[in-house]
Amino acid sequence: CSLSSVTPPDVWYQTSISEETIDSGWLSALQLEAITYAAQQHETFLPNGDRAGFLIGDGAGVGKGRTIAGIIYENYLLGRKRAVWFSVSNDLKYDAERDLRDIGAKNILVHSLNKISSKHNGSVKKGVIFATYSSLIGESQSGGKYKTRLKQLLHWCGEDFDGVIVFDECHKAKNLCPVGSSKPTKTGLAVLELQNKLPKARVVYASATGASEPRNMAYMNRLGIWGEGTPFREFSDFIQAVERRGVGAMEIVAMDMKLRGMYIARQLSFSGVTFKIDEVLLSQEYVKMYNKSVKLWVSARERFQQAADLIDAEQRMKKSMWGQFWSAHQRFFKYLCIASKVKRVVQLAREEIKNGKCVVIGLQSTGEARTLEALEEGGGELNDFVSTAKGVFQSLIEKHFPAPDRKKLFSLLGIDLTAQSNNNSPRDISANSNTNSSFVTSQDAVERAQQMKKELLDKLEKLAEDLPPNTLDELIDELGGPENVAEMTGRKGRVVSNDDGSISYESRSELDVPVEILNITEKQRFMDGDKNIAIISEAASSGISLQADRRAKNQRRRVHMTLELPWSADRAIQQFGRTHRSNQVTAPEYVFLISELAGEQRFASIVAKRLESLGALTHGDRRATETRDLSRFNFDNKVTILFLLENSWQSSYDLTSFSFLDVRQGLIGVGLINVEDRSGILTLDKDYNNIGKFLNRILGMEVHQQNALFQYFSDTLNAVIQNAKKNGRYDMGILDLGSGDEKVRKADVKKFLTPGYSTSGHVELYTISVERGMSWDEATKIWAEQTGPDDGFYLSLQVRFFCLLDYLFLIYRPNTGKQLKLETCADLKKKYKKVTMKILLLFSVCRRGNCKKAGLGLVCEVGLRCRTYYVLCGSVLSVWTKVEGVLASVSGTNVKMQIVRLRTEDGQRIVGRCMGCCSASQQLAVQQQQIWQQHHPQSITNLNNA
């Protein structure tokens, strides 16, 4: 992990926690380390006068709860007896009490904010006030002493409050303060106001997943990364600088925070964990059902459009209608995607149980809302399992189809339909009645729209026979019923099949177990081995431990299957963290199920992208979450967007570019190609270059269409990436040196202290020599061993100089070594010209023609085997903008700032920003140093010129 390349500052803080707590093991060494660094960081202040905050990014299972309890306990012992603990659910108050009790701080009482009235506010003199993020904006309806909970909380804390404020599970608060054109939410403003009103408070941010994107760090203003006295004046400046450089920049941010002592992130070892992707084949029956669904949705889209035109719907209504339509469209096909994998999950689960393991199946949604709707419609009785997909479609038609109820409409306008004469239309009556005619629709149009609605519902009823049932109910039924499956979800009831074959709806609550603690009871049954299969939804993805705990009776190895991909990596990590925790006998096996449907790659794409940046932020290493297997699903990247903006993607919609015209029809059916009503001219949708929209919409194409189109998309994307790499326009992310055949040597290092509140921060400028490729001696040795007529040295026909050697059509280049791609002899002779060794030796000088570097008397390293790099590492974030400013001011040079990770020959790891190579970059570095020292003669000191 890259964070190992930097070390946090030395510990000088002495904790007050008793030796008994430490000796008894109530706090582990890792937890005590985080408590110490947090307390130490809280003793420092930011340049704007606010007390510095601390971020705990420990992974799931390390024990953040006890760490937070320890921080509160430490401050309590020092006389700071009031603390505030924010989390995502009031239920977690009991976990907070347990954590405080477990570390020996049982005398610290925990009070729920929503249970404290303004009258009794004064009676709570000390302890912890536990609150949810949403409760912070609660307002009093009856007046009272305080209008909002925020004011009540601020009054309780007092103006000079210097106690602890904990923002626990802060990944749930990631959207508190949106960036850009959107306005901050009320909760976001309240969280920021709380921090601003209490500048001396000791703020702790805690989350196993942190923020999967830097813009989600907006509320962490106590980290001192942006603001007064930092390189970034505003949060928006920080975002612009970091997001331009992607995942690599996130590693720099994480390392910088650790270097300054404001951040700590430990993760359980992945030793023993296995991770595999199971791609599920589609049956013929499923494909037929899917294609029928596609045709119905295409028909529905046409009917929605026609009905809206018939009743002359206003623009605002149309916008709302289409928003609902495409939202339901996406949910419908998402449920079909999940349904395609149920049989495979059941098969795998049964096999694993036979093999002596136990199974945890991860879902996100339960479909309870659709079940309750069907139950109400059936008068409390059901004939079969409820189809969630059908419910989504039916709800859309019934609630959002543009067909107003004629009788209600005219009744609302005071029109008596019985008084109508045969010659008068509703519009005539309306005009005679002096009512606003714009609100009255033609009777014929309304009736036609109503007929369309009925036809659609009838077609849906026919299709419903083939649609899959609710995934959760089907899974439980196939795996032996509720008596064999521990369900940990947020729903209150379920549909079950009885012994006589009938179907009924039953409450999940039991005689002696209320719904509130049912999930905990089911968890215990699983941990005791009474049930060997557990199904968890979003509601049980935090706070529940399901690992093979040494203290549990059920110590079978866990097989964690992800059936429904979460929308975000935050949720994925939280769910994975249920089965991989400390004190376990065996590590879990993770199985990611993805169907053959090309459209489902969309969901994998989201998770793949977020997991990479998430690993970068929480661990300082984008590879920490081992997502290499998922990287092939990450289509939502900058190259793609660049590709689209340049209109290259338009060729994918070229109506003649496909050998089959049904793909064109499919694109029309999902609204990516529009047909003009009168002329019939085809035009692209205005958001045709939105990758997310494209991946969402192709779910609504027939299976063979979407798979063919997606293959075309993938092939085109790969070609664009290859071309971008050749042209030097592809962001390689992080350049790894020393991990392959390269020989990396440290030639020189200059060390500087950085300005700021932390004296531990420093920047190091390394001069690195990298040798790759092959030497002349190696080349001549291989050449001497070959006797074929085509073996030998070749020169490129391009202006650039490349010397290469062909050995059975395997190419070696002097600057990069052996090439992976094999060349045919014919292709080789098209691009290169064979030369003798004498001629080759004549080309030992630069062949680039008017080389600017050579003209300036500088050394040119282009195409050479040995190259020199200049790498800034350490607290790079603090000098980020200054370095960029200096580099941008230098003309005549082509310097690319690249995040680089390297390992020298002596084993030293270095991570930082590469300022380019060759002596031009060295001049830049010297100039940057001179300008820097002019502006900061006192705060920057040259410590070492080794």
Side-chain angles (χ1 to χ4, degrees):
C1 163
S2 301
L3 277 177
S4 60
S5 61
V6 295
T7 55
D10 295 335
V11 173
W12 50 260
Y13 184 89
Q14 183 66 44
T15 60
S16 303
I17 292 175
S18 66
E19 292 184 8
E20 179 193 4
T21 302
I22 299 169
D23 295 340
S24 301
W26 296 341
L27 282 169
S28 69
L30 285 177
Q31 291 161 349
L32 198 61
E33 179 188 31
I35 293 167
T36 305
Y37 275 117
Q40 182 167 302
Q41 180 70 358
H42 286 153
E43 293 301 311
T44 62
F45 286 83
L46 303 177
N48 65 359
D50 289 351
R51 189 183 297 276
F54 189 77
L55 172 58
I56 301 173
D58 290 341
V62 175
K64 288 185 301 304
R66 285 200 183 194
T67 302
I68 293 168
I71 294 171
I72 291 172
Y73 188 31
E74 167 71 15
N75 283 276
Y76 190 89
L77 294 172
L78 292 171
R80 295 182 279 271
K81 298 186 183 295
R82 293 188 177 191
V84 183
W85 190 334
F86 286 99
S87 197
V88 293
S89 167
N90 282 313
D91 295 341
L92 296 175
K93 168 185 179 271
Y94 303 105
D95 293 346
E97 289 176 327
R98 179 202 63 205
D99 291 328
L100 284 164
R101 185 175 60 248
D102 287 350
I103 66 167
K106 56 187 176 184
N107 58 325
I108 302 179
L109 300 179
V110 182
H111 312 275
S112 288
L113 179 62
N114 61 351
K115 297 287 177 66
I116 304 175
S117 69
S118 57
K119 294 179 182 178
H120 300 98
N121 200 28
S123 63
V124 181
K125 299 292 185 184
K126 59 182 180 179
V128 177
I129 285 189
F130 191 90
T132 61
Y133 292 109
S134 56
S135 70
L136 194 57
I137 58 172
E139 295 186 15
S140 173
Q141 301 299 323
S142 58
K145 190 174 180 182
Y146 311 104
K147 290 184 178 179
T148 64
R149 289 288 189 187
L150 175 61
K151 288 185 178 178
Q152 182 181 348
L153 204 55
L154 286 170
H155 183 266
W156 183 78
C157 291
E159 289 184 5
D160 292 328
F161 178 72
D162 63 350
V164 180
I165 298 179
V166 178
F167 294 103
D168 194 9
E169 304 290 354
C170 59
H171 59 276
K172 294 285 186 179
K174 65 182 182 180
N175 296 320
L176 288 183
C177 190
V179 179
S181 59
S182 56
K183 295 180 180 179
T185 60
K186 282 186 179 180
T187 315
L189 294 172
V191 166
L192 292 175
E193 185 181 352
L194 182 69
Q195 295 181 78
N196 292 334
K197 288 284 179 67
L198 303 173
K200 295 180 182 177
R202 290 166 158 80
V203 176
V204 176
Y205 309 103
S207 172
T209 49
S212 55
E213 291 186 1
R215 64 173 55 252
N216 292 333
M217 299 172 69
Y219 58 92
M220 298 184 187
N221 57 354
R222 290 293 184 92
L223 295 180
I225 299 176
W226 59 87
E228 183 183 335
T230 70
F232 309 103
R233 184 180 295 273
E234 301 288 341
F235 178 68
S236 56
D237 299 327
F238 166 73
I239 283 298
Q240 289 173 7
V242 174
E243 286 194 339
R244 279 203 307 269
R245 287 157 190 83
V247 178
M250 294 299 290
E251 293 197 22
I252 296 296
V253 171
M255 289 189 301
D256 194 85
M257 289 194 297
K258 182 181 178 183
L259 193 68
R260 291 184 174 218
M262 65 176 72
Y263 174 64
I264 199 162
R266 288 78 52 90
Q267 181 166 317
L268 296 180
S269 166
F270 282 100
S271 176
V273 173
T274 64
F275 181 89
K276 69 176 181 179
I277 292 174
D278 193 308
E279 297 196 44
V280 181
L281 301 177
L282 303 178
S283 66
Q284 288 301 314
E285 293 77 13
Y286 177 86
V287 171
K288 287 179 183 176
M289 179 273 297
Y290 195 98
N291 290 345
K292 282 182 184 177
S293 302
V294 168
K295 287 172 182 173
L296 181 56
W297 272 98
V298 171
S299 175
R301 179 175 172 270
E302 293 171 355
R303 297 291 185 275
F304 268 74
Q305 182 66 61
Q306 290 169 6
D309 293 340
L310 269 174
I311 68 167
D312 198 21
E314 62 176 3
Q315 193 61 34
R316 188 171 58 180
M317 178 186 171
K318 282 185 178 180
K319 185 176 181 181
S320 172
M321 177 190 77
W322 287 122
Q324 294 291 341
F325 182 91
W326 291 118
S327 174
H329 180 273
Q330 185 174 338
R331 277 181 285 129
F332 177 93
F333 286 106
K334 181 185 174 187
Y335 286 130
L336 290 197
C337 288
I338 299 167
S340 70
K341 300 176 283 189
V342 171
K343 286 184 179 178
R344 178 61 177 158
V345 167
V346 171
Q347 178 192 351
L348 286 174
R350 288 172 178 167
E351 288 175 3
E352 298 297 356
I353 297 296
K354 284 181 183 176
N355 293 334
K357 300 173 186 176
C358 61
V359 175
V360 176
I361 300 172
L363 282 167
Q364 290 300 301
S365 49
T366 61
E368 184 181 32
R370 306 302 166 202
T371 303
L372 294 176
E373 285 177 6
L375 193 67
E376 184 181 349
E377 189 180 317
E381 293 185 2
L382 296 171
N383 298 321
D384 202 349
F385 283 113
V386 176
S387 171
T388 315
K390 179 201 171 187
V392 169
F393 207 162
Q394 185 170 328
S395 179
L396 170 71
I397 298 171
E398 290 177 345
K399 296 177 182 177
H400 302 287
F401 192 85
D405 186 300
R406 190 166 54 91
K407 290 180 181 178
K408 288 182 181 178
L409 176 66
F410 290 134
S411 174
L412 185 67
L413 295 171
I415 300 170
D416 184 5
L417 291 177
T418 59
Q420 260 182 244
S421 68
N422 292 332
N423 297 326
N424 287 337
S425 70
R427 287 188 184 276
D428 299 328
I429 295 169
S430 171
N432 294 334
S433 306
N434 294 321
T435 39
N436 190 340
S437 61
S438 63
F439 287 100
V440 183
T441 312
S442 156
Q443 181 180 349
D444 292 340
V446 170
E447 287 181 350
R448 179 68 189 120
Q450 286 283 359
Q451 184 61 30
M452 287 182 187
K453 181 175 181 179
K454 184 177 182 302
E455 288 171 4
L456 267 181
L457 288 170
D458 291 342
K459 286 182 179 180
L460 178 59
E461 283 302 323
K462 289 181 182 178
L463 178 66
E465 298 172 6
D466 299 324
L467 289 176
N470 179 294
T471 301
L472 186 50
D473 289 328
E474 186 184 14
L475 267 178
I476 293 174
D477 188 58
E478 290 284 337
L479 293 170
E483 58 271 18
N484 290 325
V485 179
E487 179 188 340
M488 285 162 267
T489 67
R491 66 177 185 170
K492 293 181 173 60
R494 60 186 159 221
V495 180
V496 296
S497 59
N498 304 312
D499 295 337
D500 60 0
S502 62
I503 301 294
S504 63
Y505 178 84
E506 65 175 29
S507 171
R508 284 184 63 217
S509 62
E510 301 167 17
L511 289 175
D512 54 343
V513 183
V515 174
E516 288 74 23
I517 61 167
L518 189 58
N519 284 344
I520 302 298
T521 307
E522 285 283 71
K523 170 222 167 184
Q524 201 55 49
R525 288 169 180 162
F526 177 75
M527 297 299 278
D528 289 344
D530 298 335
K531 298 181 179 181
N532 284 320
I533 298 173
I535 299 181
I536 59 175
S537 73
E538 172 70 9
S541 290
S542 59
I544 286 185
S545 302
L546 300 174
Q547 81 275 27
D549 200 307
R550 296 178 190 278
R551 299 164 291 186
K553 292 180 184 177
N554 179 8
Q555 295 188 2
R556 292 183 172 204
R557 186 170 193 184
R558 273 53 169 164
V559 181
H560 191 140
M561 302 179 190
T562 301
L563 181 61
E564 179 182 356
L565 293 169
W567 282 103
S568 72
D570 299 357
R571 292 177 182 175
I573 290 292
Q574 287 292 337
Q575 198 177 91
F576 295 157
R578 299 309 100 215
T579 49
H580 182 50
R581 306 178 73 80
S582 55
N583 201 40
Q584 63 190 12
V585 180
T586 55
E589 298 176 18
Y590 291 115
V591 182
F592 232 47
L593 287 107
I594 298 178
S595 72
E596 275 187 307
L597 281 166
E600 201 193 3
Q601 313 299 323
R602 163 62 171 161
F603 304 110
S605 164
I606 295 170
V607 177
K609 179 185 177 185
R610 296 290 188 273
L611 282 177
E612 285 198 17
S613 58
L614 188 63
L617 181 71
T618 54
H619 310 292
D621 187 350
R622 73 194 188 285
R623 303 168 301 178
T625 44
E626 294 296 330
T627 58
R628 284 186 288 272
D629 289 334
L630 272 176
S631 59
R632 60 195 169 105
F633 296 115
N634 185 7
F635 308 106
D636 199 2
N637 54 42
K638 287 183 181 179
V639 173
T640 313
I641 301 301
L642 173 69
F643 181 33
L644 297 174
L645 291 176
E646 292 178 346
N647 293 320
S648 302
W649 174 242
Q650 199 162 351
S651 63
S652 301
Y653 292 133
D654 182 359
L655 307 183
T656 60
S657 64
F658 290 96
S659 59
F660 40 88
L661 295 178
D662 59 342
V663 171
R664 176 184 67 183
Q665 206 59 39
L667 289 169
I668 293 172
V670 295
L672 289 173
I673 293 180
N674 299 317
V675 183
E676 295 294 334
D677 292 336
R678 296 180 180 177
S679 62
I681 295 174
L682 303 178
T683 58
L684 292 177
D685 180 71
K686 63 177 181 179
D687 291 329
Y688 78 92
N689 61 351
N690 182 317
I691 291 296
K693 187 173 182 177
F694 167 75
L695 292 173
N696 287 339
R697 292 285 181 85
I698 66 171
L699 276 168
M701 296 173 67
E702 293 186 17
V703 175
H704 70 285
Q705 291 176 357
Q706 65 171 279
N707 286 358
L709 179 60
F710 190 79
Q711 188 61 52
Y712 177 79
F713 166 73
S714 300
D715 292 345
T716 309
L717 177 59
N718 290 335
V720 168
I721 290 175
Q722 291 302 318
N723 191 47
K725 286 180 177 178
K726 287 180 182 178
N727 297 333
R729 298 184 63 195
Y730 183 71
D731 182 5
M732 298 292 288
I734 300 173
L735 178 64
D736 275 297
L737 296 175
S739 56
D741 297 330
E742 305 102 341
K743 297 174 183 176
V744 180
R745 298 184 184 89
K746 183 174 64 176
D748 187 34
V749 59
K750 292 181 174 63
K751 189 173 182 179
F752 307 91
L753 285 181
T754 59
Y757 64 90
S758 174
T759 56
S760 61
H762 63 272
V763 175
E764 293 172 331
L765 177 62
Y766 283 90
T767 304
I768 303 294
S769 174
V770 178
E771 182 180 340
R772 55 182 185 167
M774 63 190 309
S775 66
W776 175 255
D777 291 339
E778 290 175 297
T780 52
K781 182 180 178 183
I782 295 176
W783 173 71
E785 295 172 355
Q786 307 310 314
T787 56
D790 293 319
D791 294 335
F793 293 101
Y794 287 74
L795 282 178
S796 171
L797 296 177
Q798 297 177 5
V799 177
R800 282 189 309 164
F801 166 68
F802 275 114
C803 158
L804 47 88
L805 179 76
D806 177 24
Y807 169 53
L808 294 178
F809 314 121
L810 177 65
I811 298 174
Y812 293 81
R813 284 181 175 154
N815 61 324
T816 55
K818 183 169 67 175
Q819 304 301 293
L820 297 176
K821 184 181 176 183
L822 299 175
E823 294 269 8
T824 64
C825 188
D827 287 340
L828 189 73
K829 291 182 178 179
K830 285 180 185 177
K831 295 182 283 186
Y832 306 99
K833 177 178 65 176
K834 189 176 181 182
V835 294
T836 63
M837 187 179 291
K838 287 183 179 180
I839 293 177
L840 184 66
L841 292 172
L842 295 175
F843 287 89
S844 59
V845 296
C846 178
R847 292 183 66 225
R848 295 180 65 207
N850 298 324
C851 179
K852 293 180 180 179
K853 292 179 182 177
L856 293 171
L858 302 174
V859 178
C860 178
E861 293 186 344
V862 173
L864 297 186
R865 180 165 51 93
C866 298
R867 306 195 77 176
T868 304
Y869 292 88
Y870 297 89
V871 181
L872 272 179
C873 70
S875 188
V876 179
L877 205 62
S878 60
V879 296
W880 191 302
T881 52
K882 291 183 177 64
V883 173
E884 279 196 336
V886 172
L887 290 173
S889 66
V890 179
S891 59
T893 58
N894 183 21
V895 178
K896 180 181 179 181
M897 299 295 283
Q898 169 78 52
I899 310 298
V900 65
R901 179 193 292 110
L902 55 89
R903 178 181 290 184
T904 61
E905 284 185 323
D906 58 3
Q908 182 182 358
R909 292 186 177 192
I910 299 172
V911 182
R913 299 178 70 191
C914 181
M915 297 170 59
C917 52
C918 69
S919 51
S921 294
Q922 190 174 29
Q923 284 194 351
L924 287 174
V926 172
Q927 183 177 348
Q928 175 258 345
Q929 179 183 338
Q930 291 171 348
I931 295 175
W932 199 359
Q933 289 176 334
Q934 287 173 9
H935 287 88
H936 303 276
Q938 296 176 344
S939 59
I940 299 177
T941 309
N942 189 338
L943 294 180
N944 184 23
N945 191 2

